[in-house]
Amino acid sequence: MKRQNARTLVLIISILTYLVVGAAVFETLESKQEKGQKRRLDVRRYELMRKYNLTKENFDELEQVVLQLKPHRAGVQWRFAGSFYFAITVITTIGYGHAAPSTDSGKIFCMFYALLGIPLTLVMFQSLGERINTFVRYLLHKAKRYLGLRHTEVSMVNMVTVGFFSCMGTLCIGAAAFSHCESWSFLHAFYYCFITLTTIGFGDYVALQRDNTLQNDPRYVAFCFIYILMGLTVIGAFLNLVVLRFLTMNVEDERRDAKQRALMCASKQREVATLLPSTVKSSTNSAETEVDFKGVYTEVLHFQTLCSCLWYRSKENLPGSKPSMIPQDFSDAYQQQGRLNSQYTDSPSAGCVCSPCQCTKIGSITTGLHILSPFRVFKRRSSV
């Protein structure tokens, strides 16, 4: 099994196991509380119906009105401040659910707005987080050099440590501010900050939803907007540092496998090339033979049976009549030299292009290789 497939299978099994464990833990922690709260609400509902002489239909209608009035406790939601707050929750995928478009045109625009805004926002936070990590790495490197440490390289452990404490500091600052402004406990405020900055957005705790805060306290509204955006940037930088490293493992494995396949193919080609005759190799891979033509000359001489100059011309235009592995500039240069000595040169249309004095008939078995200059050919021949 490939490494990528094994890793994917392990991740699937891990997520399913994590979900089962989480479901069991939540059931243990919340089930009893839910049953007790349901009993208390039923008792309270019965008391209200008897006290105000309400039927079940009247109480259900009153309940619907109360639920619809809940988003309006903070005042008008769809002025610019409230609309900006809603737009932040859309493109950051927080989605508190405290407000939602009620008109058909608003719902259609919300879908198209999210379709473009969500990818753009994710790319922006990823890029900004990468820049922050680069700046933090630079500061850590300078700090190590200033402290005179021997190893000034910034490791992944250093970056993860700084990122973790940055996230914790951001959550604690937000928890302190919201616990003061929203009259929540520190634990509930910390829970709200965590749910918000991880873009879970349950909506059970939502800031700016009491006493017409959206219209009456612009400084607090601006703080909430800036905190959400800056907090998402810090969390995004930390996730960019930790999570994306694991997301690129499959890409690295694919690249490594591609390199191994390329090396295997190259080795197989070299093995085949060693088994092929030199004439076949010259026709299929002329580039390599031009680079190392001296080695080709040596190999061809073992099969040469016509002339030691290797520039034999036949009347037919055959690939073997003028070996293709011979560099053209050498052939032309030698032919030009032969024309200067025309009394020894044969007809260029057929036969050998070297002089009869230099190229004798095959009569003995000799092996020799002697090159006088780059523009001259072999004085001695390899005959069979």
Side-chain angles (χ1 to χ4, degrees), residues 69-77 81-82 85-86 89 96-99 181-182 184 192 203-214 220-221 224:
L69 285 174
K70 183 179 179 180
H72 300 281
R73 291 190 305 172
V76 180
Q77 290 285 340
Y85 193 24
F86 174 77
T89 63
Y96 289 130
H98 67 288
C181 298
E182 296 288 343
W184 297 333
Y192 162 76
D204 50 349
Y205 288 89
V206 182
L208 304 176
Q209 294 299 299
R210 66 184 186 89
D211 300 332
N212 293 326
T213 307
L214 284 171
Y220 179 52
V221 173
C224 290

Side-chain angles (χ1 to χ4, degrees), residues 6-161:
R7 184 186 296 116
T8 302
L9 183 61
V10 170
L11 287 174
I12 293 174
I13 296 175
S14 301
I15 288 297
L16 293 177
T17 305
Y18 196 71
L19 290 173
V20 171
V21 172
V25 172
F26 284 125
E27 180 185 7
T28 303
L29 296 176
E30 298 293 334
S31 179
K32 184 177 180 180
Q33 175 69 18
E34 180 189 23
K35 293 177 182 179
Q37 187 176 9
K38 180 67 167 57
R39 286 195 299 265
R40 290 192 297 270
L41 289 175
D42 289 339
V43 172
R44 183 58 179 167
R45 176 182 179 182
Y46 177 75
E47 291 177 354
L48 291 174
M49 291 174 61
R50 186 178 61 178
K51 180 178 180 179
Y52 296 103
N53 195 19
L54 298 174
T55 62
K56 185 178 182 300
E57 291 77 12
N58 297 138
F59 186 85
D60 291 340
E61 183 179 0
L62 180 62
E63 184 179 13
Q64 291 296 325
V65 172
V66 172
L67 291 176
Q68 292 176 3
L69 285 174
K70 183 179 179 180
H72 300 281
R73 291 190 305 172
V76 180
Q77 290 285 340
W78 294 108
R79 291 183 181 176
F80 183 80
S83 299
F84 192 85
Y85 193 24
F86 174 77
I88 290 177
T89 63
V90 169
I91 65 174
T92 58
T93 68
I94 295 175
Y96 289 130
H98 67 288
S102 57
T103 62
D104 293 339
S105 58
K107 294 175 181 178
I108 294 174
F109 175 76
C110 181
M111 289 187 289
F112 285 101
Y113 185 75
L115 189 64
L116 178 62
I118 291 175
L120 185 62
T121 304
L122 291 177
V123 171
M124 186 271 293
F125 280 126
Q126 192 273 337
S127 178
L128 190 58
E130 183 182 357
R131 293 297 89 200
I132 291 177
N133 289 333
T134 303
F135 181 68
V136 171
R137 187 178 291 108
Y138 172 78
L139 292 180
L140 289 177
H141 179 70
K142 289 295 184 181
K144 286 187 174 183
R145 290 185 59 184
Y146 179 78
L147 295 175
L149 299 180
R150 175 180 298 179
H151 301 287
T152 59
E153 295 80 7
V154 180
S155 63
M156 180 63 69
V157 176
N158 300 142
M159 294 297 297
V160 171
T161 303

Side-chain angles (χ1 to χ4, degrees), residues 293-314:
F293 58 88
K294 292 184 180 180
V296 173
Y297 289 174
T298 306
E299 293 179 3
V300 174
L301 283 174
H302 292 288
F303 299 96
Q304 184 68 24
T305 59
L306 295 177
C307 178
S308 61
C309 68
L310 302 181
W311 287 328
Y312 177 80
R313 291 187 181 221
S314 64

Side-chain angles (χ1 to χ4, degrees), residues 298 301-302 308 364-370 380-384:
T298 306
L301 283 174
H302 292 288
S308 61
S364 61
I365 301 176
T366 58
T367 303
L369 195 64
H370 182 64
R380 302 178 65 182
R381 65 180 181 275
S382 175
S383 306
V384 178

Side-chain angles (χ1 to χ4, degrees), residues 159-175:
M159 294 297 297
V160 171
T161 303
V162 173
F164 175 76
F165 283 107
S166 299
C167 292
M168 292 300 298
T170 303
L171 292 174
C172 290
I173 292 173

